[in-house]
């Protein structure tokens, strides 16, 4: 994005249009009616467009067709992974648009699809989507970058979830586990399918007679605690010696349910997960998990989106960030 | 805020201005130059203003003087308390402005003051400030609501931190504690001063010969883990039997450092805090903490802000939400 050498100010607009600063203010603040003649108003709007006057973002948007905002569509901003993505995206947008001041608009919902109407209503220049399967309605031309959605087409940034899942499967196989419960997310998103499929494929390839029992829960703490408490007797009775969850938040819920039930971790059940949110390092025991670079995902996605908006992005090619297993105290021999 | 009975569409603008929908599109997308005559362009802008055309937010902002956005200035959106405030504020803004579609712009920084330039540049109708002491520069007229900042003037929503702190002091006194370390935040915000002052005042009032040793750390996990690990020997050597932290995140860091050092909780040290973030309920042991209604704080703040923007808010009077102690497993007799 190009940047004028100096930002135009209201006084510059006034000088070019041959009016007072107060007149400029009436026009940009929508108070021209009855105060400013139509001809003068048009002169001011033209001066705004010519100078790229940016103090009022709305005037600039009309003048340039740019809104200087991008949106992040995400699920549940109280999820620590999402929060890291958002923090990275905010940093990335600030870095990539230095001088043009794009802002990040966070559209998140914790119990329904995010409201994409603001996106459709053209208040943004582009959208980062970290809500798999969700596309802004009615704006097929809008620049979009998908985050962590390997099934999405177009511009995207994802993570090498498969490599991380295989490392986790190898770790549990090496420890001697034969029967694992995989507690999936109850949301049908491609990133979760990839986690489950890659783990299960590698675990069954490595372990003769391997059993992977499927289960699922919400990816919120309460949902995972509830499911683990209800299913625990069944898990233990089935002979499972480890529980792998699709997300760290679920694993923290499982650890809580196991502590309440007096089940030793990892003595009786090993627990492992995906994400490596900050809280995973301080749980009791600290959580073995596949580290997925959430902050970098948001950061890289925002930089890519700014290039798509600029028209300087090359043809879509998935950018895949590395993932790796972090072994901590929640996994041990069966 | 009043709402037109039906939203004007581009076709309505075109009909009123006597132009094609394509011409309306050129004008609102800043592509009128060379395509639309100045006189026609002005007719379109007038029709937009007359009809309150809202499909393009920028055009509406010029027409009405309203930007249909509010900002939340906050510290570190990866802090779970902040995330809850933001989620509540998003819900509150959506509820309070039903039909007018205000959006929440989250301006957060995890290592510096938030960039308030976008606020100063008039891209928003109002600001929720959950970053004590920070005021948007250069916009003394901008509607503002302060959150959790008892020292702020003007419109504000806060929480009865003092009542909660006194309940916590009474709880530790009743258990028989005499010497407590208070691990404060290293940020000089009024909410933290209130937590420390209220706790210390009540504890020393209840316990003859009470000792409250002051310490401080960052309110991020790593900062708290580091400080607790470095200070632990001194805390234990001083005879302290409990650690109270200004925030749950600090307490989770302290619990982690104590687990690493093999110090039993609550057997050797009790740990308690303020906030009641979701993770406080699933730590090991679960955390005794003063529950502060973060989501409601954001929700009420957003509703109040929309009234201030509307001009329907009454004179500033602090709205104080209740706080109360939640006793869990991290506190016990010394």
């Amino acid at each position: 994005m190009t940047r004028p050498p100096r930002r135009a100010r209201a006084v510059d607009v006034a000088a070019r249009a041959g009016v007072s600063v107060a007149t400029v203010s009436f026009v940009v603040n929508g108070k021209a009616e009855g105060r400013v003649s139509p001809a003068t108003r048009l002169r001011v709007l033209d001066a705004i467009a010519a100078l790229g006057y940016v103090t009022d973002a709305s005037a600039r948007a009309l003048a340039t067709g740019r809104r200087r905002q991008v949106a992040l569509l995400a699920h549940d901003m109280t999820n620590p992974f999402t929060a890291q993505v958002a923090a990275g995206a905010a940093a990335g947008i600030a870095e990539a648009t230095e001088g043009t001041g794009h802002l990040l608009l966070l559209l998140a919902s914790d119990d329904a699809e995010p409201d994409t109407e603001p996106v459709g209503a053209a208040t943004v220049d582009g959208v980062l989507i970290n809500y798999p399967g969700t596309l802004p309605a009615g704006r097929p031309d809008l620049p979009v970058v998908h985050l962590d959605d390997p099934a999405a087409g177009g511009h995207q940034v994802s993570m090498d979830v498969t490599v991380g899942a295989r490392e986790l499967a190898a770790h549990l196989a090496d420890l001697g586990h034969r029967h694992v419960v995989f507690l999936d997310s109850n949301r049908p998103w491609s990133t979760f399918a990839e986690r489950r499929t890659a783990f299960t494929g590698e675990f069954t390839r490595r372990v003769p007679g391997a059993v992977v029992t499927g289960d699922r829960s919400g990816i919120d703490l309460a949902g995972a605690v509830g499911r683990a408490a209800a299913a625990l007797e069944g898990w233990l009775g089935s002979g499972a010696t480890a529980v792998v969850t699709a997300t760290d938040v679920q694993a923290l819920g499982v650890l809580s349910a196991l502590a309440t039930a007096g089940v030793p971790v990892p003595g009786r059940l090993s627990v492992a997960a995906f994400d490596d949110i900050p809280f995973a390092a301080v749980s009791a025991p600290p959580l073995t998990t596949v580290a997925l670079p959430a902050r970098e995902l948001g950061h890289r996605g925002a930089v890519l989106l700014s290039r798509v908006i600029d028209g300087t992005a090359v043809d879509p090619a998935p950018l895949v960030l590395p993932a790796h297993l972090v072994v901590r105290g929640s996994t041990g021999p069966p």
Side-chain angles (χ1 to χ4, degrees), chain A:
Chain A
M1 292 169 193
T2 57
R3 180 189 184 184
R6 180 177 74 78
R7 281 195 179 175
R9 292 170 302 169
V11 67
D12 303 319
V13 173
R16 187 179 178 105
V19 302
S20 69
V21 172
T23 299
V24 173
S25 172
F26 284 142
V27 172
V28 300
N29 290 309
K31 294 175 178 167
E33 191 102 19
R35 294 187 175 97
V36 183
S37 75
T40 302
R41 186 163 151 222
L42 191 58
R43 273 215 313 286
V44 171
L45 289 171
D46 282 334
I48 285 168
L51 294 173
Y53 178 56
V54 297
T55 294
D56 187 286
S58 303
R60 182 182 161 86
L62 267 190
T64 66
R66 287 282 169 80
R67 278 83 191 171
R68 303 175 69 235
Q69 282 190 170
V70 300
L72 170 64
L73 288 188
H75 172 261
D76 187 3
M77 69 181 94
T78 69
N79 180 293
F81 191 86
T82 304
Q84 295 281 345
V85 172
I93 256 318
E95 178 189 304
T97 63
E98 169 95 56
T100 63
H102 263 81
L103 299 173
L104 183 73
L105 187 63
L106 185 58
L107 304 175
S109 168
D110 54 359
D111 53 10
E113 302 285 306
D115 177 10
T116 60
E117 195 200 342
V119 175
T123 55
V124 297
D125 290 324
V127 188
L128 287 171
I129 303 188
N130 188 29
Y131 200 109
T134 306
L135 278 164
R139 289 289 307 275
D141 57 320
L142 196 65
V144 163
V145 170
H146 293 274
L147 304 179
D148 189 21
D149 185 7
H155 293 285
Q156 60 166 279
V157 183
S158 60
M159 302 170 296
D160 205 341
V161 169
T162 292
V163 162
R166 287 180 181 154
E167 288 181 10
L168 175 55
H171 170 64
L172 292 178
D174 289 350
L175 285 171
H177 292 277
R178 297 283 172 273
H179 186 169
V180 174
V181 170
F182 193 100
L183 184 68
D184 205 350
S185 160
N186 59 8
R187 296 187 174 258
W189 296 350
S190 63
T191 184
F192 297 133
E194 184 180 354
R195 298 173 195 199
R196 184 188 65 244
T197 304
F199 174 85
T200 305
E202 182 70 11
F203 191 70
T204 54
R205 193 182 72 76
R206 286 179 173 261
V207 178
V211 178
V212 178
T213 303
D215 206 327
R216 55 184 63 226
S217 78
I219 54 175
D220 60 305
L221 268 181
V225 170
R227 179 59 200 155
L232 182 55
E233 202 175 327
W235 293 349
L236 292 172
S238 74
T241 55
V243 177
V244 173
T245 63
T247 65
D248 282 350
V249 171
Q250 289 169 286
L252 295 178
V254 169
L255 287 178
S256 173
L258 297 182
T260 301
V263 176
V265 176
R268 179 68 188 83
L269 270 183
S270 285
V271 177
F274 291 80
D275 284 349
D276 199 24
I277 61 174
F279 299 102
V282 302
S283 61
L287 192 62
T288 294
T289 189
V290 175
L292 302 177
R295 190 176 281 257
E296 192 182 356
L297 181 74
H299 195 122
R300 295 287 197 99
V303 171
L304 175 58
L305 180 61
S306 76
R307 290 186 187 139
V308 177
I309 293 170
D310 261 352
T312 59
V314 294
D315 288 338
L319 177 59
V320 181
L321 306 177
H324 66 279
L325 180 68
V326 177
V327 176
R328 299 197 183 97
S330 67
T331 47

